[in-house]
Amino acid sequence: MTNNSTSSARLAPPVGGFQEIEGRRIFVHRSGSGGPAVVFLPGASAVGLDYLGVQQAVSQFTAAVVYDRGGTGYSDSLPLPRTAAAVATELREVLRAQDIAAPYVLVPHSLGGFYAHRFAQLYPQDVAGLVWLDAFHRDWDDFMPPEASLAAVEQMAPGREQLDQMRPALRAMHAELLADFPESVRQALVDAKVSDAWTGVGIAERGKLAELATELRAGPDLPDVPVVALTVVGTDPGQRALTSERTLQEMHDGRMRMDAALVSGVSHGEQRILSDTAHHRLCFDRPDAVVQAIRDVIERAARA
């Protein structure tokens, strides 16, 4: 699936601005000062401004950056999905063009995990630490039941007609998640998130998950930097309606083992399990846990 629509490019972000990279505009919003800078990598169907609440908290003690990958959110359109290398090199160019000095603490959520790992493979010297927010892992299929394999997840995306039916429910969900955001940001973001352009992007980005995992398996493990993994084992009611109890339990067990393996691969790794939120709600329900994990990784990176 491709995303060649230009409508997303015409949406004006309520905060932040653009960095031009190879003739394309990339949305970026930075706040705070100091280092290492913290960089949020959104999940599929998410955008940089979804992490505004945690960004504002982190900016009290260091520089914090949210952005939209090319082809997503407020950034200019591109055909999707893209390789992890393309996303990683673009992010590095954005950070350099913005004069945000390396190394960085990368904070990937969901699909962002693939891109953070690729960034770390290509530019290990630019990574001070990682805060893994219930993120995808290249060995996902080794830990998950067949019903939740990457190939199966690719097939789960709703079609256009189904999306149209879901739009009122999506609007209500986003309005609730963003309830504490400044009004000037909240309304513009809710409207954008239920637009045709943005809902289609979320589906397109999930189009080749198995290929992304294969791309990552061809490269090295994470560099030996501090890592805190937040593993979410709460269940969203929507997911519960679509998935059997047995499969959900197998997915939770798999996720816990997968993140445990991830943090065991570095000298200063820690897993923290959260049962009081769901995957897509993590930064909205538990910003305290996210901010604390970031603070801890920064402190451990300074000691290391």
Side-chain angles (χ1 to χ4, degrees), residues 199-260:
T199 51
V201 160
I203 295 169
E205 271 209 304
R206 292 185 186 89
K208 291 186 177 174
L209 299 176
E211 281 187 25
L212 290 173
T214 300
E215 180 185 348
L216 286 165
R217 282 196 297 274
D221 295 338
L222 291 176
D224 193 7
V225 295
V227 178
V228 171
L230 299 187
T231 307
V232 174
V233 295
T235 307
D236 174 66
Q239 190 184 25
R240 194 176 289 282
L242 296 168
T243 314
S244 74
E245 198 60 44
R246 182 183 64 81
T247 300
L248 280 176
Q249 191 56 55
E250 288 178 356
M251 289 176 68
H252 286 161
D253 292 345
R255 204 175 259 291
M256 287 197 287
R257 289 185 293 110
M258 182 174 70
D259 285 354

Side-chain angles (χ1 to χ4, degrees), residues 141-301:
D141 284 356
D142 295 344
F143 293 91
M144 292 294 161
E147 307 93 311
S149 69
L150 292 174
V153 174
E154 289 175 19
Q155 302 305 315
M156 287 176 197
R160 175 61 60 193
E161 198 173 309
Q162 201 178 346
L163 268 178
D164 288 341
Q165 293 170 349
M166 291 163 60
R167 212 176 297 274
L170 285 173
R171 179 178 286 278
M173 180 190 79
H174 292 310
E176 185 257 322
L177 289 175
L178 302 171
D180 294 336
F181 277 40
E183 181 58 29
S184 58
V185 175
R186 186 178 68 86
Q187 198 53 56
L189 199 50
V190 171
D191 289 345
K193 286 177 84 69
V194 297
S195 67
D196 274 351
W198 281 27
T199 51
V201 160
I203 295 169
E205 271 209 304
R206 292 185 186 89
K208 291 186 177 174
L209 299 176
E211 281 187 25
L212 290 173
T214 300
E215 180 185 348
L216 286 165
R217 282 196 297 274
D221 295 338
L222 291 176
D224 193 7
V225 295
V227 178
V228 171
L230 299 187
T231 307
V232 174
V233 295
T235 307
D236 174 66
Q239 190 184 25
R240 194 176 289 282
L242 296 168
T243 314
S244 74
E245 198 60 44
R246 182 183 64 81
T247 300
L248 280 176
Q249 191 56 55
E250 288 178 356
M251 289 176 68
H252 286 161
D253 292 345
R255 204 175 259 291
M256 287 197 287
R257 289 185 293 110
M258 182 174 70
D259 285 354
L262 179 85
V263 300
S264 71
V266 296
S267 303
H268 303 283
E270 182 187 352
Q271 180 182 29
R272 299 176 185 176
I273 295 167
L274 301 176
S275 58
D276 58 351
T277 184
H279 175 75
H280 72 284
R281 300 186 59 95
L282 172 56
C283 288
F284 302 105
D285 290 345
R286 294 301 311 277
D288 57 316
V290 175
V291 173
Q292 188 60 54
I294 292 168
R295 196 186 280 278
D296 292 342
V297 164
I298 288 174
E299 286 178 5
R300 288 168 199 178

